Amino acid sequence: MTTAEYAVGTLAACAFAAVLLAVVRSGGVKSALASVITAALGVAG
């Protein structure tokens, strides 16, 4: 790939990472992940 293609690919990867980070940090997803982890570890809560 040329340098321009690397730049576009890098920007796309960063944008995708930012979207994933925003989704994971949302309240609903955070509580759902916490409940799944708690259930998997068998921690009483």
Side-chain angles (χ1 to χ4, degrees):
M1 286 195 297
T2 64
T3 303
E5 289 170 329
Y6 280 118
V8 170
T10 301
L11 287 175
C14 289
F16 185 67
V19 169
L20 284 178
L21 190 60
V23 168
V24 169
R25 285 188 173 181
S26 69
V29 173
K30 190 180 288 186
S31 64
L33 284 175
S35 65
V36 166
I37 292 170
T38 302
L41 294 176
V43 177

